[in-house]
Amino acid sequence: MKGFQLIATGAGIPSRVVTNDDLSRIVDTSDEWITTRTGIKQRRFCAEGEDGGSLSIAAARQALENSGLDPAQIGCVICATIAGRYLSPSNACLIQMELGLPQDIPVLDLNAACSGFVYATAAARGLLEGCGSDSRPYALIVGCEQLSVLMDMTDRSTCVLFGDAAGAAIFRLCDTPFAVDLGARGDMAITVPKGGPIQMDGSAVFRFAVDALPRSLHAVLEKTNQTLDDLDWVVCHQANSRIIDHCVKKLKADPAKFYKNMDRYGNTSAASVPVALHELAEQGRLQPGMHVACVGFGGGLTWGGMAFTVGETLNAHRAEQR
């Protein structure tokens, strides 16, 4: 079985910034209360003319441009989301249409909530191998959410947590180390009825997350014969800084390896991991040859971990243009 290597990233970030102080004028909360419990200082909501579909297209377009690939080289498209613009067509089909991607490739949306990007990456590798990938070994994978339309803005236990965003990545099949760990435990701790609102048992989700995150991370490291010391970055779902801090302590790991950006975006579900990867790449902190692990956890309850290497062409096309 071939490996899977990251070669490009992109992001679609809404223009509307919503701070904790902004929310304190809507519900009984404060910047201090939100920050100390979650690490979140602000989040982004879609403004007029923006939605989950436009964010996913923007992220995908940027990843494709950063890769330097021709659209005809893309072998599959998967968009992880719980909040697509339509029930049908899928966000992935909108991306295919707008970017002029080939018609004879698999294109679909996938719902695994906050684990969605990891699930989608694993599914994309399987599709490329199953459909024959000699001429098109590249997968375009997007995580996109517009959670602002699914929240009860009078519920301070949830409305302070979530934001809108999209992140994208292009992976290629190659002979490099790759491992994935996927799982689910059917549970109603997080529910999103059709049309919302998001409902969550915060304590139950915290207990689940601090167990699933280190367990899934250990699983992919074991499969790749690596240790935490071998990793350059660990990119976790950006749900809550306390979850990541708890796991870092439990793992006796170097906290500097665990990237965080929930202070600026909040919990963006399936978008959080690819947005974080894109930030690292744009900052020059994600370099070719690096070893990375990503872990998602969330509604379902689902979890997913993966370990991979960074390719030589990471965002090289964009760097040349700059």
Short mmCIF file of all heavy atoms in Angstrom, two decimals, residues 19-59:
data_model
loop_
_atom_site.label_atom_id
_atom_site.label_comp_id
_atom_site.label_asym_id
_atom_site.label_seq_id
_atom_site.Cartn_x
_atom_site.Cartn_y
_atom_site.Cartn_z
N THR A 19 -15.44 38.93 18.28
CA THR A 19 -14.62 38.79 19.49
C THR A 19 -15.46 38.29 20.66
O THR A 19 -16.69 38.30 20.62
CB THR A 19 -13.98 40.13 19.85
OG1 THR A 19 -15.02 41.04 20.26
CG2 THR A 19 -13.21 40.72 18.68
N ASN A 20 -14.76 37.91 21.72
CA ASN A 20 -15.46 37.53 22.94
C ASN A 20 -16.27 38.71 23.50
O ASN A 20 -17.36 38.52 24.04
CB ASN A 20 -14.47 37.04 23.99
CG ASN A 20 -13.83 35.72 23.61
OD1 ASN A 20 -14.31 35.02 22.72
ND2 ASN A 20 -12.74 35.37 24.28
N ASP A 21 -15.73 39.90 23.38
CA ASP A 21 -16.47 41.08 23.84
C ASP A 21 -17.74 41.28 23.03
O ASP A 21 -18.78 41.69 23.57
CB ASP A 21 -15.59 42.32 23.76
CG ASP A 21 -14.50 42.34 24.82
OD1 ASP A 21 -14.71 41.72 25.89
OD2 ASP A 21 -13.45 42.97 24.58
N ASP A 22 -17.68 40.99 21.74
CA ASP A 22 -18.89 41.07 20.91
C ASP A 22 -19.97 40.12 21.44
O ASP A 22 -21.14 40.49 21.54
CB ASP A 22 -18.58 40.70 19.46
CG ASP A 22 -17.71 41.74 18.76
OD1 ASP A 22 -17.77 42.92 19.15
OD2 ASP A 22 -16.98 41.36 17.84
N LEU A 23 -19.57 38.91 21.79
CA LEU A 23 -20.53 37.93 22.29
C LEU A 23 -21.07 38.31 23.66
O LEU A 23 -22.22 37.99 24.00
CB LEU A 23 -19.89 36.54 22.34
CG LEU A 23 -19.56 35.90 20.99
CD1 LEU A 23 -18.92 34.54 21.20
CD2 LEU A 23 -20.81 35.76 20.12
N SER A 24 -20.25 38.99 24.45
CA SER A 24 -20.70 39.39 25.79
C SER A 24 -21.84 40.40 25.72
O SER A 24 -22.55 40.59 26.72
CB SER A 24 -19.54 39.98 26.60
OG SER A 24 -19.16 41.25 26.10
N ARG A 25 -22.04 41.01 24.55
CA ARG A 25 -23.16 41.93 24.39
C ARG A 25 -24.43 41.21 23.92
O ARG A 25 -25.50 41.81 23.81
CB ARG A 25 -22.78 43.03 23.39
CG ARG A 25 -21.72 43.99 23.95
CD ARG A 25 -21.50 45.17 23.02
NE ARG A 25 -20.64 44.84 21.90
CZ ARG A 25 -19.31 44.93 21.93
NH1 ARG A 25 -18.68 45.33 23.03
NH2 ARG A 25 -18.59 44.62 20.87
N ILE A 26 -24.27 39.89 23.65
CA ILE A 26 -25.42 39.08 23.20
C ILE A 26 -25.89 38.13 24.29
O ILE A 26 -27.09 37.96 24.52
CB ILE A 26 -25.04 38.28 21.95
CG1 ILE A 26 -24.63 39.23 20.81
CG2 ILE A 26 -26.19 37.39 21.49
CD1 ILE A 26 -24.07 38.52 19.59
N VAL A 27 -24.94 37.49 24.98
CA VAL A 27 -25.26 36.53 26.04
C VAL A 27 -24.46 36.88 27.29
O VAL A 27 -23.51 37.66 27.25
CB VAL A 27 -24.95 35.08 25.62
CG1 VAL A 27 -25.86 34.63 24.50
CG2 VAL A 27 -23.49 34.92 25.21
N ASP A 28 -24.85 36.29 28.41
CA ASP A 28 -24.19 36.54 29.68
C ASP A 28 -22.86 35.79 29.72
O ASP A 28 -22.78 34.63 30.16
CB ASP A 28 -25.09 36.09 30.83
CG ASP A 28 -24.47 36.36 32.20
OD1 ASP A 28 -23.52 37.18 32.25
OD2 ASP A 28 -24.93 35.77 33.19
N THR A 29 -21.81 36.43 29.23
CA THR A 29 -20.47 35.85 29.21
C THR A 29 -19.47 36.98 29.24
O THR A 29 -19.82 38.15 29.31
CB THR A 29 -20.28 34.95 27.97
OG1 THR A 29 -19.07 34.20 28.12
CG2 THR A 29 -20.24 35.76 26.69
N SER A 30 -18.19 36.63 29.19
CA SER A 30 -17.13 37.64 29.19
C SER A 30 -15.90 37.08 28.51
O SER A 30 -15.75 35.87 28.35
CB SER A 30 -16.77 38.05 30.63
OG SER A 30 -16.14 36.97 31.31
N ASP A 31 -15.01 37.98 28.11
CA ASP A 31 -13.76 37.56 27.51
C ASP A 31 -12.97 36.68 28.46
O ASP A 31 -12.42 35.64 28.07
CB ASP A 31 -12.93 38.79 27.12
CG ASP A 31 -11.56 38.41 26.59
OD1 ASP A 31 -11.50 37.77 25.53
OD2 ASP A 31 -10.56 38.74 27.25
N GLU A 32 -12.93 37.04 29.73
CA GLU A 32 -12.19 36.26 30.73
C GLU A 32 -12.77 34.87 30.87
O GLU A 32 -12.04 33.87 30.93
CB GLU A 32 -12.21 37.00 32.06
CG GLU A 32 -11.31 36.39 33.14
CD GLU A 32 -11.98 35.27 33.94
OE1 GLU A 32 -13.23 35.23 33.97
OE2 GLU A 32 -11.25 34.43 34.51
N TRP A 33 -14.10 34.76 30.91
CA TRP A 33 -14.77 33.46 31.09
C TRP A 33 -14.47 32.55 29.91
O TRP A 33 -14.12 31.38 30.08
CB TRP A 33 -16.28 33.66 31.23
CG TRP A 33 -17.03 32.44 31.67
CD1 TRP A 33 -17.34 32.07 32.95
CD2 TRP A 33 -17.57 31.42 30.82
NE1 TRP A 33 -18.04 30.88 32.94
CE2 TRP A 33 -18.19 30.46 31.65
CE3 TRP A 33 -17.61 31.22 29.44
CZ2 TRP A 33 -18.84 29.33 31.15
CZ3 TRP A 33 -18.23 30.09 28.92
CH2 TRP A 33 -18.84 29.16 29.78
N ILE A 34 -14.58 33.07 28.69
CA ILE A 34 -14.36 32.25 27.49
C ILE A 34 -12.89 31.87 27.35
O ILE A 34 -12.55 30.71 27.09
CB ILE A 34 -14.83 33.01 26.24
CG1 ILE A 34 -16.32 33.32 26.31
CG2 ILE A 34 -14.53 32.19 24.98
CD1 ILE A 34 -16.81 34.29 25.26
N THR A 35 -12.00 32.84 27.55
CA THR A 35 -10.57 32.61 27.32
C THR A 35 -10.01 31.57 28.29
O THR A 35 -9.26 30.66 27.89
CB THR A 35 -9.78 33.92 27.46
OG1 THR A 35 -10.28 34.87 26.51
CG2 THR A 35 -8.30 33.69 27.20
N THR A 36 -10.36 31.69 29.56
CA THR A 36 -9.79 30.77 30.55
C THR A 36 -10.32 29.35 30.38
O THR A 36 -9.62 28.39 30.72
CB THR A 36 -10.09 31.24 31.98
OG1 THR A 36 -11.51 31.38 32.15
CG2 THR A 36 -9.41 32.57 32.26
N ARG A 37 -11.50 29.19 29.83
CA ARG A 37 -12.09 27.85 29.68
C ARG A 37 -11.84 27.21 28.33
O ARG A 37 -11.94 25.99 28.20
CB ARG A 37 -13.60 27.92 29.95
CG ARG A 37 -13.93 28.13 31.42
CD ARG A 37 -15.36 28.61 31.63
NE ARG A 37 -15.67 28.71 33.06
CZ ARG A 37 -15.29 29.71 33.83
NH1 ARG A 37 -14.57 30.71 33.31
NH2 ARG A 37 -15.61 29.73 35.11
N THR A 38 -11.51 28.01 27.33
CA THR A 38 -11.38 27.45 25.98
C THR A 38 -10.11 27.87 25.25
O THR A 38 -9.71 27.20 24.29
CB THR A 38 -12.57 27.88 25.11
OG1 THR A 38 -12.49 29.29 24.85
CG2 THR A 38 -13.90 27.56 25.78
N GLY A 39 -9.51 29.00 25.61
CA GLY A 39 -8.39 29.53 24.86
C GLY A 39 -8.82 30.35 23.66
O GLY A 39 -7.96 30.84 22.91
N ILE A 40 -10.11 30.52 23.46
CA ILE A 40 -10.63 31.24 22.29
C ILE A 40 -10.76 32.73 22.62
O ILE A 40 -11.34 33.09 23.64
CB ILE A 40 -12.00 30.67 21.86
CG1 ILE A 40 -11.87 29.21 21.47
CG2 ILE A 40 -12.59 31.49 20.71
CD1 ILE A 40 -13.19 28.48 21.29
N LYS A 41 -10.23 33.57 21.74
CA LYS A 41 -10.35 35.02 21.88
C LYS A 41 -11.31 35.62 20.85
O LYS A 41 -11.98 36.61 21.11
CB LYS A 41 -8.99 35.69 21.72
CG LYS A 41 -7.94 35.28 22.74
CD LYS A 41 -8.26 35.81 24.13
CE LYS A 41 -8.12 37.31 24.23
NZ LYS A 41 -8.34 37.80 25.62
N GLN A 42 -11.36 35.01 19.68
CA GLN A 42 -12.24 35.48 18.62
C GLN A 42 -12.51 34.33 17.68
O GLN A 42 -11.88 33.28 17.74
CB GLN A 42 -11.63 36.66 17.86
CG GLN A 42 -10.37 36.28 17.09
CD GLN A 42 -9.78 37.44 16.31
OE1 GLN A 42 -9.69 38.56 16.82
NE2 GLN A 42 -9.39 37.19 15.08
N ARG A 43 -13.46 34.51 16.77
CA ARG A 43 -13.77 33.54 15.75
C ARG A 43 -14.25 34.31 14.52
O ARG A 43 -14.49 35.52 14.58
CB ARG A 43 -14.82 32.51 16.20
CG ARG A 43 -16.23 33.01 16.37
CD ARG A 43 -16.46 33.88 17.59
NE ARG A 43 -16.27 33.14 18.84
CZ ARG A 43 -15.76 33.70 19.94
NH1 ARG A 43 -15.41 34.99 19.94
NH2 ARG A 43 -15.60 33.02 21.04
N ARG A 44 -14.39 33.61 13.40
CA ARG A 44 -14.85 34.25 12.17
C ARG A 44 -16.23 33.71 11.80
O ARG A 44 -16.46 32.51 11.84
CB ARG A 44 -13.88 33.99 11.01
CG ARG A 44 -12.46 34.51 11.22
CD ARG A 44 -12.41 36.03 11.22
NE ARG A 44 -11.04 36.52 11.23
CZ ARG A 44 -10.41 37.02 10.15
NH1 ARG A 44 -11.03 37.07 8.98
NH2 ARG A 44 -9.17 37.44 10.25
N PHE A 45 -17.13 34.62 11.41
CA PHE A 45 -18.43 34.25 10.87
C PHE A 45 -18.52 34.74 9.43
O PHE A 45 -17.95 35.78 9.08
CB PHE A 45 -19.57 34.88 11.67
CG PHE A 45 -19.81 34.29 13.04
CD1 PHE A 45 -20.74 34.86 13.89
CD2 PHE A 45 -19.12 33.17 13.48
CE1 PHE A 45 -20.98 34.34 15.15
CE2 PHE A 45 -19.34 32.64 14.75
CZ PHE A 45 -20.28 33.23 15.58
N CYS A 46 -19.24 34.01 8.61
CA CYS A 46 -19.46 34.44 7.23
C CYS A 46 -20.21 35.77 7.21
O CYS A 46 -21.22 35.94 7.92
CB CYS A 46 -20.24 33.39 6.46
SG CYS A 46 -19.27 31.91 6.06
N ALA A 47 -19.74 36.69 6.39
CA ALA A 47 -20.42 37.96 6.17
C ALA A 47 -21.32 37.82 4.94
O ALA A 47 -21.40 36.75 4.32
CB ALA A 47 -19.39 39.07 5.98
N GLU A 48 -21.99 38.90 4.58
CA GLU A 48 -22.87 38.88 3.41
C GLU A 48 -22.06 38.52 2.18
O GLU A 48 -20.97 39.03 1.94
CB GLU A 48 -23.51 40.26 3.22
CG GLU A 48 -24.54 40.30 2.10
CD GLU A 48 -25.24 41.64 2.00
OE1 GLU A 48 -24.99 42.51 2.86
OE2 GLU A 48 -26.03 41.82 1.05
N GLY A 49 -22.60 37.59 1.40
CA GLY A 49 -21.92 37.13 0.20
C GLY A 49 -20.97 35.97 0.42
O GLY A 49 -20.36 35.48 -0.55
N GLU A 50 -20.80 35.55 1.67
CA GLU A 50 -19.94 34.42 2.00
C GLU A 50 -20.79 33.28 2.55
O GLU A 50 -21.78 33.51 3.25
CB GLU A 50 -18.90 34.81 3.05
CG GLU A 50 -17.95 35.92 2.61
CD GLU A 50 -17.05 36.40 3.73
OE1 GLU A 50 -17.46 36.28 4.93
OE2 GLU A 50 -15.96 36.90 3.43
N ASP A 51 -20.38 32.05 2.26
CA ASP A 51 -21.00 30.89 2.88
C ASP A 51 -20.01 29.72 2.82
O ASP A 51 -18.88 29.88 2.32
CB ASP A 51 -22.35 30.52 2.25
CG ASP A 51 -22.24 30.05 0.80
OD1 ASP A 51 -21.11 29.86 0.29
OD2 ASP A 51 -23.29 29.84 0.17
N GLY A 52 -20.45 28.59 3.33
CA GLY A 52 -19.55 27.45 3.34
C GLY A 52 -19.07 27.05 1.96
O GLY A 52 -17.91 26.64 1.78
N GLY A 53 -19.94 27.16 0.97
CA GLY A 53 -19.55 26.82 -0.39
C GLY A 53 -18.46 27.73 -0.92
O GLY A 53 -17.47 27.26 -1.50
N SER A 54 -18.61 29.03 -0.72
CA SER A 54 -17.59 29.97 -1.23
C SER A 54 -16.27 29.80 -0.49
O SER A 54 -15.19 29.93 -1.09
CB SER A 54 -18.10 31.41 -1.11
OG SER A 54 -18.27 31.81 0.24
N LEU A 55 -16.33 29.50 0.81
CA LEU A 55 -15.09 29.27 1.56
C LEU A 55 -14.36 28.04 1.05
O LEU A 55 -13.13 28.04 0.90
CB LEU A 55 -15.39 29.10 3.05
CG LEU A 55 -16.02 30.28 3.80
CD1 LEU A 55 -16.20 29.90 5.27
CD2 LEU A 55 -15.21 31.54 3.66
N SER A 56 -15.11 26.96 0.80
CA SER A 56 -14.48 25.72 0.35
C SER A 56 -13.86 25.90 -1.03
O SER A 56 -12.77 25.38 -1.31
CB SER A 56 -15.49 24.57 0.35
OG SER A 56 -16.56 24.81 -0.55
N ILE A 57 -14.52 26.65 -1.91
CA ILE A 57 -13.97 26.90 -3.24
C ILE A 57 -12.70 27.73 -3.14
O ILE A 57 -11.70 27.45 -3.81
CB ILE A 57 -15.02 27.59 -4.13
CG1 ILE A 57 -16.16 26.61 -4.45
CG2 ILE A 57 -14.39 28.11 -5.41
CD1 ILE A 57 -17.41 27.27 -5.00
N ALA A 58 -12.71 28.76 -2.28
CA ALA A 58 -11.53 29.61 -2.11
C ALA A 58 -10.35 28.80 -1.58
O ALA A 58 -9.21 28.96 -2.05
CB ALA A 58 -11.85 30.77 -1.17
N ALA A 59 -10.59 27.95 -0.59
CA ALA A 59 -9.52 27.14 -0.02
C ALA A 59 -8.96 26.17 -1.05
O ALA A 59 -7.74 25.99 -1.18
CB ALA A 59 -10.02 26.38 1.21
#
